[in-house]
Amino acid sequence: MDPRGQGAGIPRFMAVSIDPATGEPGQPMTLFRDSTLVGSYDVTPDGERFLMLRRQPWAVPRRVVVVTNWFEELKAKVGG
């Protein structure tokens, strides 16, 4: 199960407390919301911290190169 809920397009990490005596879940609560998260995450072995990648607003690709028919070009170069 992914603890990241969605609200207003900004990922949010949520938690639920569990009553140890009954096993009943409590009310969900938002831990934090962050629109700069990228991909997956992990939790430290002690369960105290999240490890995740964040997108940097200034780190935008400056250009994209699209190569078409690359397989034919490769075959021509290697004699296939």
Side-chain angles (χ1 to χ4, degrees):
M1 184 167 144
D2 191 346
R4 292 177 294 177
Q6 297 295 321
I10 299 174
R12 60 183 173 172
F13 281 70
M14 301 184 73
V16 173
S17 62
I18 305 293
D19 184 319
T22 65
E24 292 292 318
Q27 290 295 316
M29 63 179 160
T30 299
L31 298 175
F32 57 90
R33 297 174 76 162
D34 194 334
S35 62
T36 64
L37 299 179
V38 176
S40 61
Y41 63 92
D42 204 352
V43 179
T44 57
D46 62 6
E48 295 292 319
R49 292 178 293 256
F50 287 98
L51 302 172
M52 55 191 65
L53 297 175
R54 298 178 92 181
R55 175 179 43 249
Q56 298 299 321
W58 48 264
V60 178
R62 301 271 183 225
R63 75 178 211 199
V64 175
V65 177
V66 178
V67 179
T68 59
N69 300 321
W70 63 269
F71 195 70
E72 286 74 19
E73 186 176 338
L74 176 65
K75 287 194 299 187
K77 288 186 178 188
V78 296

